[in-house]
Each structure stands twice: as C-alpha cells, then as structure tokens.
Amino acid sequence: METTSRTTIYQLPIDPLQQIFTRLSVREICACRAVCKLFKQTLTCPFFVQRVAQRTALSWFVVHPSHCRKSRRASPDSLLHVYDADSDEWLRFPLDFLPFNSAIPVAASSGLLYLWCESDSGRSLVICNPITRKYRVLPQLGSAWFRHGTVLSAGLRVLVLNEFVALYLADGNLWLNFSAGLSSKPRSPVLVGSAVYALCDIGSPWRAQWKLVFCKLDELGRGRAWDRLERREWGEIFDILRRPRLIQGKGDSLLMVGGLKASFATNSVCSTIIILRLDLANLEWDEAGRMPGEFFDCFRSWGKFKVFGMGDRVFFSGKGAGKLAMWDSSEKGKGAWRWVTGISESKDGLCRGFAFDARIDAVP
C-alpha cells in the first residue's frame, strides 16, 4: 500500500517530468515549487529554467499604493501585486524572502525588480527576481535618495535621479556621482535605448513651462549631462497639456500624457486626457489616443490621478476610484479603453505602477 501511494510522479524519469512541467504557466510553476523537494529541484535546475525561459514572454505591470513610499509601510511580509493585461488577471508574489524591515518596489528591467529596502544597518537599493526569490543588495544610499530618488535601470546599469544629482552604477560596486544641471527635478524620466528622456519645468512658481530634455548614459560625467530636445515645428505642444507625464512607448518612441487644456490660460479647464506619441527617429508628434467622455467624467470628479504604463498600454488611477482605466493601443484605430478592477485597497485609492517584463531565468 505504501508503494502504491508513492507511484507515478516520484518514479518518473527526470526528462518526462520536465516535459510535463514545461506545459505549466509561470504562476503554476511558482505554486508547484512549494509542493515538495522533488518539484523544487526539478523546477529550479538551470536546464529546466532555460527551457521555460525560451517560451515565456510575459508583460506584467507592478501596481502598488502611491502612499506606501512616503509612509514606508510596505514590508517584506506583504504581497507584490502584478497585473497581467493579456489575460486580465492579478498575480501576487510574497516578498517574505527579503530580510528587510521594509521593501518598496520602484522599477524593473530585464526580468528583475528594483526595491528600496530598509534594515537596521541602513537603506539600500535591492535587485530581486520575485519568481525565483533570489536577490542582491546594491551599495547603500542615504536617506535623501531613499525618499526622493527616481530609479531607472537597463540590465546591470542603474541610474538614480533627483533635481541636482545623478547616481550611476554600471558593472561595479561604487555609485558614480554627477551633477544633473537642471533647474528642477526631472519629471517622469524614461529610458529608451541608451538615453534618458524627461520633462523639466523651466517656468516660474506661478506658471509651468515644460521642456523635453535628454541625456545619454555613456556621456554621464563628461561635462553637461542634459540637453534640450526641441524643434521649431513643434510649436506650443507642451503648452496645451496640463500636468504632462512621459511614458516609454513601443519601439523607438515616447508617449506624453496629460489633460488637454481648453485654452492657454493658466487655470484653463481640461476637456479630456490626451496621449501624444513622439517618433524619436523623425522627431514628429502625433495623437495616439484620447480618453472617451464616460471615462473622463470619472476622472473629472476624482481630481488627482496617476499615470503609468509602457509600450501599448497606459493606466490611469484616480483618487478613491477603486479601479484603473487602461488604454490599449494594440487595438485598431486610436486604441481601446476599458476598466481594470480588483486593485488592492489603499488609503486614498491612488496607485503607482511600472512595467515588469517577468523572466524566470533572470539572475540578480
């Protein structure tokens, strides 16, 4: 009787067992690893990970409450909330493998997640793969960076920005310090290829005046870090949007999202939210999407809202909304709009987020 209870799965050779597991989704693989030692050894061996990685192309979005960074209430015992837009499903990964008092997700690149973490010995930026539960701690940073630094990453290259200084880490253990040379903190910086693009307010305390700036990673530390990117034919394109934000577009493009002003007056009301696209190859703007009236009516009542996304998809979270609005440009025409429900509850209802190209073979 005892022999019968341990037949089938435990007596299978390793090759057929791996063949079975390769048919599972990443979510199912993560669940199976916790079943027994045999499953864990099979699902974590390099050969199996490589086979699964070749067929998995995941495009997820990490979504977390906007207030958690300020209050520092996010703990490693909490869950990482990930939205799969392709299947319209939420996934949740525990962060209990991180030995820190707090862990706040801020960015992702090449299948790895970046988190601001705090322990009794100090504050650091940590790279991890929530699927394999492996992590690596980067050299420590001070409190000012922990509270206000914006993180960008491309592979092993990491850039942390504020309004005056840029910290750069590339294949080493030391942060390189460079002057940002900007009059204000770069707003919504995004990394496209080997260059960082951001919006900078060069106006007055009474009237914002936005400009598009950029810097090349390879030129950091060689004199002037940032340059303006502007063309006369663009006209007053930056003046027609209220509270503009940049998002990395599909391929070699940028998306700029903001409220479309009814006039050029300082306190002009907005008629809708518009998504503009800049083709970086020919430096031409076009309209990529416009929020329908039934969606904008909700945002008008919410007042404050957050914008995040990447490529084909842009998400909007509103104060007290309890849901997200999503624009998907993979649909025909100017893209499709729909509501995303099931977000985790937060104090003010506002959520931040970023794209996460999950990979089971990514090593911190």
Side-chain angles (χ1 to χ4, degrees):
M1 194 71 182
E2 181 180 353
T3 305
T4 332
S5 65
R6 292 184 57 83
T7 54
T8 62
I9 198 72
Y10 287 95
Q11 295 178 352
L12 278 177
I14 190 66
D15 287 342
L17 189 59
Q18 289 185 345
Q19 285 285 354
I20 295 172
F21 283 134
T22 55
R23 299 177 181 273
L24 301 180
S25 67
V26 172
R27 177 191 288 184
E28 292 167 333
I29 289 173
C30 294
C32 287
R33 280 189 320 208
V35 172
C36 62
K37 290 183 179 179
L38 172 64
F39 283 19
K40 182 177 180 180
Q41 292 171 356
T42 305
L43 297 175
T44 56
C45 75
F47 179 71
F48 174 80
V49 169
Q50 186 177 6
R51 290 178 64 180
V52 174
Q54 292 173 355
R55 68 168 179 83
T56 53
L58 302 171
S59 180
W60 294 343
F61 294 89
V62 174
V63 181
H64 61 91
S66 63
H67 69 274
C68 73
R69 186 168 177 179
K70 293 181 180 179
S71 63
R72 288 183 272 175
R73 292 176 184 171
S75 80
D77 296 328
S78 62
L79 297 174
L80 181 71
H81 296 265
V82 178
Y83 178 66
D84 184 351
D86 292 326
S87 62
D88 189 22
E89 292 182 337
W90 288 91
L91 295 84
R92 291 167 176 84
F93 295 92
L95 298 176
D96 54 358
F97 63 94
L98 295 173
F100 302 100
N101 301 331
S102 69
I104 302 168
V106 289
S109 175
S110 302
L112 297 173
L113 188 69
Y114 290 75
L115 308 100
W116 285 118
C117 293
E118 185 175 15
S119 64
D120 296 336
S121 58
R123 294 160 178 168
S124 303
L125 194 59
V126 174
I127 310 175
C128 80
N129 186 334
I131 299 176
T132 61
R133 298 168 64 88
K134 304 293 184 182
Y135 71 94
R136 177 166 63 94
V137 182
L138 296 181
Q140 286 192 4
L141 293 170
S143 300
W145 293 103
F146 183 84
R147 296 294 298 277
H148 305 294
T150 301
V151 180
L152 296 175
S153 59
L156 297 178
R157 299 188 297 180
V158 184
L159 184 67
V160 186
L161 300 170
N162 68 13
E163 57 265 47
F164 302 116
V165 182
L167 296 180
Y168 183 51
L169 181 71
D171 303 325
N173 294 318
L174 292 176
W175 291 100
L176 305 179
N177 191 318
F178 303 104
S179 172
L182 293 174
S183 57
S184 65
K185 180 180 180 179
R187 171 177 283 188
S188 57
V190 296
L191 185 62
V192 181
S194 60
V196 179
Y197 297 86
L199 292 170
C200 182
D201 184 6
I202 64 170
S204 67
W206 303 274
R207 186 183 181 92
Q209 185 178 359
W210 296 103
K211 295 294 182 181
L212 183 61
V213 297
F214 75 99
C215 72
K216 295 182 178 179
L217 292 181
D218 296 337
E219 296 180 0
L220 283 175
R222 300 177 185 175
R224 188 176 179 182
W226 294 88
D227 288 304
R228 289 188 192 177
L229 182 60
E230 51 190 349
R231 293 291 184 272
R232 181 181 301 175
E233 53 269 27
W234 290 355
E236 299 173 321
I237 193 167
F238 294 100
D239 296 328
I240 66 173
L241 295 184
R242 174 180 288 181
R243 296 182 60 83
R245 293 290 187 272
L246 289 184
I247 293 175
Q248 182 179 347
K250 189 175 182 179
D252 196 18
S253 68
L254 284 175
L255 299 178
M256 185 166 66
V257 184
L260 181 62
K261 295 180 181 179
S263 70
F264 289 107
T266 303
N267 297 321
S268 174
V269 297
C270 295
S271 58
T272 187
I273 295 174
I274 193 171
I275 303 172
L276 302 178
R277 178 171 45 223
L278 174 63
D279 188 334
L280 293 172
N282 55 32
L283 295 180
E284 292 182 355
W285 291 93
D286 72 307
E287 182 179 325
R290 185 176 296 220
M291 182 175 284
E294 61 269 25
F295 285 78
F296 183 68
D297 288 342
C298 293
F299 277 88
R300 200 200 318 264
S301 63
W302 293 339
K304 187 177 181 181
F305 63 89
K306 300 291 183 183
V307 181
F308 60 91
M310 183 177 179
D312 289 331
R313 295 175 173 118
V314 179
F315 296 84
F316 303 81
S317 72
K319 188 173 182 179
K323 55 186 176 181
L324 301 172
M326 186 185 81
W327 170 79
D328 188 349
S329 69
S330 62
E331 302 289 339
K332 296 180 180 179
K334 293 294 183 181
W337 293 81
R338 66 179 174 88
W339 294 110
V340 176
T341 58
I343 63 174
S344 58
E345 294 294 330
S346 62
K347 186 175 181 180
D348 59 6
L350 283 169
C351 292
R352 297 178 183 269
F354 52 87
F356 175 37
D357 53 335
R359 284 169 37 191
I360 198 170
D361 63 330
V363 180

